[in-house]
Amino acid sequence: MAPPGAPSSSPSSSSSSSSSASTATAGSGSGSATAPTQSRILKFVPWQSSVTADFWHGLANLKLDVLRLDRRPLQIQGFFAPCSHPRISKPLQLTYESLSLELGTESPASDRNRCPAPGTLYNTNTSDEFNSIDRDALMNEETAKVWDDICSGRAEEDSNLLNRFFVICYADLKEWRFKYWFSFPALQFTQAVKHTMFQPASDYFTAEESLRVVSACTAWRTSPLTTCLSFFLLHLSCDGVTVRPLSDWEKCQGSFQILLGFYDPSHLPTNPGWPVRNLLVLAAVRWGLKNVDILCWRELQGRTDLRHCFVTSATFEEFGGIVLPENTNAVPKAAGWEPSARSVDLSSLMNPDMLAKSAADLNLKLMKWRSLPSLNLLLLSKTKCLLLGAGTLGCEVALRLLAWGIRDITFVDYGKVGYSNPLRQPLYQIKDCGRSKVEAAQEALKTKCVDVRAQGHQISIPMAGHSVSGNQVEETFDNFTKLQTLIEEHDVIFLLTDTRESRWLPTILCAAAEQSKIVINAALGFDSFVVMRHGEGPFNSTQDGRLGCYFCTDVVAPTDSTVNRTLDQQCTVSRPALAPIAGALAVEMAVVVMHHPLGPAAPADQAVSVTTSIDQPMGILPHQIRGFLAHYAQLVVSGIAFDGCTACSPKIVSEFKARGFAFILEALNSPNYLEDVAGLTDLLHATNSMSLDWDGEGDSDLGVPDMA
Ligand SMILES: [Zn+2]
């Protein structure tokens, strides 16, 4: 069948594989093949790369969450398939699944249209680093891998190793711009590979052979076991045509004809694609071939059609004079860089919500890189915060919580937005005046952060000393029940209302809650503030020296503080910067408590000099911070729970647990009742005067605000 004079492959005597190769009988088979013509240089069509947007998104997440500044090379996978269009070459593609090895996700299923190619991604941290990377050194390193795969025989077992590629990359995550440069290392012969023909496979094979070739190749392409093996042997014998893996080379010797086949990404009718280059080197080095016919396997819209496949006869020199196995360390030169680096700007492609979501956490994720590796963003994103009060403090606290990555924020407030509010309460605008505060506040948060889960409840918090008449009992009970449910449902409770007595019921409910709550209290005076955390409830506490609550310094029950007060005394009259300062400190304190292994049970740290270094990554965790704007000073103080406290003492909490709302109702209507239960009445009778010290200094000396 082979016409006399047709090119045939012949073994190289210098190869270690020559004994087996010498038994091979190879050559072109078509009766229509023309007589040999002058050989020409065989040029290969460079492989093209294509990267999907979701790959960059996956890489961005990987860098932000896992790699950070880590520069280790990443193991990635590219995907490719034979050319399937007469005018369009197939690129090697990177998709989100390309990162599955690094993301720890399930490996992507490979199939006939997604043959895997092993790749390495070299990620750089700055644009300068990208520009100055030693590309020659990288090329040598990657070429050595290909060479080793060939010399060791691994590439015959897993022929996709011949398709190794690598990418250098710089991801500018602030601007969503990515710079990258692909390389497909192909080992080079010292002299150019030549060929004498490049013709459609339908002309090369006889009609009978064509039928058998189509049948064998279709079987190879449809079997899940072989469809992803992109290099193969086309084995023609008297018994028929089979397609075999490269590792069957020895077994195929003695047959009538062997062609080397590969999935060809090129569409050009005159040139084969890039991947065949390493196959030719393998054939020269391992099998000692000097010429061979090659089947460039291409398809037409996924179907087998030999008119679109090509056969070429490649002739090449003995491989670089290298004799195996002695010189396996001498890695040949390689080519394969794409002509230039490329860049992609995804900022406009990204869904604005997605972009906003990614960008929202950018600063926090960057904090984890160097400044605060122990920052637990998952914990923050899952923590539910309840803000009692949506006024000056509530607005400030909500915004700072968002900035820390908290996404579950619930407001409780009964008020409406007033015309005096927008300037000092940053969640409101003039157009909101007259609306319910909780409704306007949650809407405002959603304009800041797309994935915030904000809620609002318009509830009037029952207040100690504000008596409840008979027709108000039902409504008060409703409000009590809603508040209790909300407190049980949240992890962190912020007390940010503008009167002292409105903090009393939430303090009891937190102290009596099933699970210990983190309770943060902030209160403003004119130019001073207190930010504190409450200790655990008396029956939840397992620590000695349970920390006190806001009411632990009182020797009287809270009363209606608005009676007999002028307007300036009833309203929050504070220097404008006080709420932002106190609100921000309240959030900082809450975040530190969340990260403390003991949570709300964490003991109070004492103040240390600013020149003393602090071991804790987020600094000390005080019980209380008292601020004095007139002095530009802050004090860190602490105090343990008071046994006669009207809000958190064991007597009060156990009475509440026993009587529930009936206890609350009685306390609202009769402040003396609380003092009786707490034992304050007896205490007052026993002593004429009493002062409780906070670390040795009385409240009055500190000018602590008693109402906001
Ligand atoms: Zn207390």
Side-chain angles (χ1 to χ4, degrees):
M1 290 170 80
S8 64
S9 62
S10 62
S12 159
S13 59
S14 64
S15 164
S16 62
S17 305
S18 60
S19 59
S20 59
S22 64
T23 60
T25 312
S28 71
S30 168
S32 63
T34 52
T37 55
Q38 195 182 358
S39 61
R40 293 184 297 269
I41 289 177
L42 185 59
K43 291 185 175 170
F44 306 92
V45 183
W47 220 347
Q48 293 167 353
S49 62
S50 153
V51 188
T52 61
D54 63 354
F55 173 84
W56 297 121
H57 198 253
L59 180 66
N61 287 341
L62 190 65
K63 181 157 176 61
L64 279 171
D65 297 332
V66 182
L67 298 172
R68 297 162 199 162
L69 295 169
D70 191 346
R71 285 190 52 202
R72 72 183 162 81
L74 305 182
Q75 298 310 307
I76 59 174
Q77 275 188 321
F79 301 104
F80 68 99
C83 172
S84 67
H85 191 285
R87 286 190 298 280
I88 303 171
S89 292
K90 273 275 184 189
L92 179 126
Q93 194 172 51
L94 297 187
T95 68
Y96 184 80
E97 286 85 2
S98 298
L99 293 163
S100 60
L101 291 172
E102 295 290 342
L103 290 168
T105 51
E106 207 171 309
S107 291
S110 47
D111 59 48
R112 55 181 285 127
N113 295 315
R114 291 164 57 89
C115 304
T120 306
L121 187 138
Y122 294 90
N123 196 27
T124 58
N125 283 318
T126 64
S127 185
D128 284 348
E129 204 182 306
F130 177 88
N131 293 333
S132 62
I133 199 163
D134 187 344
R135 294 195 297 122
D136 290 340
L138 280 185
M139 187 59 142
N140 290 341
E141 201 175 308
E142 289 290 325
T143 306
K145 292 182 190 170
V146 180
W147 181 239
D148 189 46
D149 289 336
I150 290 175
C151 294
S152 65
R154 273 197 302 276
E156 282 149 80
E157 298 300 324
D158 178 4
S159 61
N160 285 339
L161 292 173
L162 297 174
N163 287 326
R164 277 187 188 279
F165 70 99
F166 67 101
V167 194
I168 57 173
C169 169
Y170 165 60
D172 178 350
L173 300 184
K174 214 170 162 193
E175 303 292 336
W176 281 90
R177 289 201 181 93
F178 300 84
K179 278 165 88 171
Y180 62 101
W181 202 335
F182 266 82
S183 178
F184 303 94
L187 300 169
Q188 288 177 307
F189 288 90
T190 45
Q191 292 179 26
V193 176
K194 296 194 171 161
H195 75 293
T196 50
M197 57 95 177
F198 195 89
Q199 62 182 177
S202 53
D203 295 343
Y204 176 85
F205 295 110
T206 63
E208 188 187 348
E209 283 171 342
S210 289
L211 287 174
R212 290 176 172 174
V213 168
V214 167
S215 166
C217 287
T218 303
W220 179 266
R221 282 288 283 153
T222 48
S223 164
L225 296 176
T226 53
T227 190
C228 289
L229 297 176
S230 62
F231 298 96
F232 55 88
L233 305 172
L234 186 67
H235 174 234
L236 284 73
S237 70
C238 311
D239 300 331
V241 174
T242 51
V243 178
R244 316 275 289 258
L246 298 188
S247 53
D248 275 4
W249 172 259
E250 300 276 350
K251 293 180 195 160
C252 294
Q253 300 311 310
S255 53
F256 166 68
Q257 189 184 2
I258 302 172
L259 281 81
L260 304 186
F262 78 108
Y263 293 175
D264 188 358
S266 163
H267 76 278
L268 290 182
T270 49
N271 301 82
W274 199 255
V276 75
R277 298 186 64 160
N278 286 334
L279 178 63
L280 293 181
V281 172
L282 183 148
V285 170
R286 293 281 296 176
W287 303 331
L289 300 187
K290 284 186 171 177
N291 63 351
V292 67
D293 284 0
I294 295 165
L295 173 63
C296 305
W297 185 258
R298 303 176 188 178
E299 293 170 348
L300 184 65
Q301 292 169 345
R303 284 178 287 110
T304 298
D305 188 333
L306 289 190
R307 289 170 301 176
H308 293 274
C309 298
F310 288 83
V311 176
T312 184
S313 59
T315 307
F316 35 90
E317 300 303 312
E318 185 177 311
F319 191 73
I322 291 166
V323 179
L324 289 176
E326 292 79 4
N327 280 336
T328 50
N329 288 335
V331 179
K333 285 193 161 38
W337 285 104
E338 284 192 330
S340 59
R342 289 196 270 169
S343 66
V344 57
D345 179 348
L346 288 190
S347 58
S348 57
L349 273 183
M350 300 291 291
N351 169 322
D353 281 359
M354 202 161 152
L355 202 58
K357 189 170 179 292
S358 312
D361 290 340
L362 180 66
N363 279 306
L364 293 172
K365 289 183 175 178
L366 295 181
M367 280 164 74
K368 279 180 76 72
W369 284 19
R370 238 187 280 254
S371 310
L372 204 51
S374 58
L375 183 64
N376 189 338
L377 293 179
L378 186 64
L379 170 84
L380 291 170
S381 70
K382 286 182 168 177
T383 300
K384 295 180 171 181
C385 292
L386 179 65
L387 277 53
L388 303 180
T392 48
L393 282 167
C395 289
E396 296 294 342
V397 165
L399 289 171
R400 272 3 103 196
L401 287 173
L402 277 190
W404 265 113
I406 303 272
R407 293 295 176 260
D408 274 294
I409 296 176
T410 304
F411 294 100
V412 167
D413 200 298
Y414 192 65
K416 292 195 156 99
V417 180
Y419 283 96
S420 64
N421 294 153
L423 276 182
R424 288 193 176 213
Q425 302 183 11
L427 292 181
Y428 310 123
Q429 300 177 32
I430 292 171
K431 69 178 172 58
D432 294 320
C433 292
R435 295 178 70 196
S436 127
K437 276 192 170 177
V438 293
E439 190 185 305
Q442 57 171 312
E443 266 184 34
L445 290 193
K446 285 170 187 164
T447 65
K448 296 262 179 203
C449 176
V450 290
D451 59 339
V452 68
R453 295 173 291 278
Q455 301 176 43
H457 297 271
Q458 199 166 15
I459 296 173
S460 169
I461 299 175
M463 291 189 274
H466 294 235
S467 56
V468 178
S469 58
N471 59 359
Q472 294 172 318
V473 170
E474 195 176 330
E475 187 190 342
T476 306
F477 177 71
D478 267 3
N479 288 332
F480 159 79
T481 311
K482 283 180 192 162
L483 188 62
Q484 187 175 34
T485 307
L486 284 170
I487 285 175
E488 291 291 352
E489 287 171 352
H490 287 76
D491 308 301
V492 185
I493 319 298
F494 286 90
L495 308 187
L496 310 167
T497 51
D498 57 1
T499 62
R500 187 173 183 80
E501 59 267 30
S502 58
R503 297 157 198 257
W504 172 78
L505 178 58
T507 300
I508 289 196
L509 291 175
C510 291
E514 292 280 321
Q515 301 284 329
S516 286
K517 303 293 173 186
I518 296 174
V519 183
I520 306 287
N521 180 67
L524 307 176
F526 166 66
D527 59 3
S528 62
F529 64 84
V530 59
V531 171
M532 66 182 293
R533 60 193 171 101
H534 290 183
E536 286 185 295
F539 303 111
N540 292 336
S541 174
T542 53
Q543 308 287 314
D544 290 337
R546 181 170 71 89
L547 293 177
C549 79
Y550 187 51
F551 296 93
C552 275
T553 51
D554 290 0
V555 289
V556 290
T559 55
D560 186 344
S561 61
T562 59
V563 172
N564 294 329
R565 298 226 174 178
T566 60
L567 185 62
D568 65 315
Q569 290 169 323
Q570 287 178 39
C571 295
T572 306
V573 178
S574 301
R575 287 176 62 163
L578 211 60
I581 295 170
L585 285 173
V587 171
E588 294 294 318
M589 182 185 266
V591 170
V592 181
V593 183
M594 288 176 214
H595 280 77
H596 195 286
L598 293 176
D605 289 331
Q606 303 306 317
V608 292
S609 155
V610 290
T611 55
T612 307
S613 66
I614 294 174
D615 292 337
Q616 300 99 311
M618 296 178 120
I620 64 165
L621 176 51
H623 177 215
Q624 303 182 28
I625 304 160
R626 295 179 176 225
F628 309 92
L629 201 50
H631 297 78
Y632 291 95
Q634 277 172 204
L635 288 179
V636 165
V637 294
S638 63
I640 58 168
F642 172 40
D643 205 34
C645 175
T646 55
C648 79
S649 64
K651 293 171 206 153
I652 292 286
V653 173
S654 57
E655 191 70 10
F656 167 65
K657 286 195 169 200
R659 297 184 57 209
F661 181 66
F663 165 83
I664 298 296
L665 195 60
E666 193 164 350
L668 298 183
N669 285 328
S670 164
N672 291 341
Y673 169 67
L674 272 183
E675 290 167 7
D676 292 346
V677 175
L680 285 178
T681 314
D682 295 343
L683 196 65
L684 282 169
H685 285 153
T687 175
N688 289 331
S689 64
M690 178 172 184
S691 69
L692 285 172
D693 290 348
W694 291 92
D695 277 5
E697 293 193 77
D699 270 356
S700 53
D701 293 335
L702 291 168
V704 172
D706 62 359
M707 70 160 284

